[in-house]
Amino acid sequence: MKPWKKLLLGLAGIFALTSLAACSSSTNTLDKVKNKGTLTVALNPHFAPFEFKTIQDGKDTIAGADIEIAKAIGDELGVKVKFSEMSFDNVLASVQSGKADIAIAGISVTNERKKVYDFSDSYYTSENVVIVKKDKVNDFTSADSLAKQTVGTQKGSVQETIAKKQLSKASVVSLASNGEMINELKSGQIQAVVLEKAIAEGYIAQNDDLTLASFNLKSDGSDAYAVAIRKGSDDLLKEINAVIKETKESGKFDQWLKEASSYKQSK
Ligand code: ARG
């Protein structure tokens, strides 16, 4: 073979190899999930009625409306769903790093978060409330009445920012676990907790020494819950949006929420 032919063949070979490599690195999240046969979902299951641990038929299990959405997405894609538990402040980061394919954790859509992640259509609208001890409800009747008191929020949540802004005279602390935060409220280490209404109502139903404060917090525009996904995963996002649309329109989502509210959250 003439040397120039060898050179040409060699070049063609290199070209073929590099284009193959380019192809595989551009594999999108949908293909990745389908190839693995598993959808890995990041979550923090201490957030009833959306995602929480409970005992069903004597067995520890994970339940809630977020869990049902994840299962429905898995069914739609024909893959298994793997729940990857972590503290809430790690949930979004694990999508960014690719450890999880998506995150479903009662995640509020904010402009800040939208810079880094893509979000599905919203499946729920939340509202922020303040929980206090029943015997203090007449002392804490306004944002200002919490001046110099300690207020708990979950680490990494939008409630951290909301509390700092709207309860600016209080000292706002953030805790990794909602359960622990509620215990600190009950024991008097902190005087109030900012959570979203559905979650707060769950804790109040299980703790008769707690109640909602009589004043409300203002919306900061981040009330919509959605599934978070790595930017540029449009194919998977389309499938997720189709599932969300169906579960909302068919009334399944409301049914899941209602059912979940009747289970007891275990520690
Ligand atoms: N909606 C709030 C946020 O996105 C709190 C979510 C907390 N979720 C949880 N699974 N603990 O910041």
Side-chain angles (χ1 to χ4, degrees), residues 141-157:
T141 52
S142 64
D144 280 356
S145 68
L146 283 167
K148 300 203 176 72
Q149 307 292 331
T150 307
V151 177
T153 57
Q154 184 167 40
K155 207 170 182 184
S157 71

Side-chain angles (χ1 to χ4, degrees), residues 44 47 51 88 105-108 113 154 157-159 196 225:
N44 171 247
F47 200 65
E51 46 187 69
F88 183 70
I107 301 171
S108 309
R113 289 173 177 171
Q154 184 167 40
S157 71
V158 295
Q159 285 68 42
E196 286 154 312
Y225 285 0

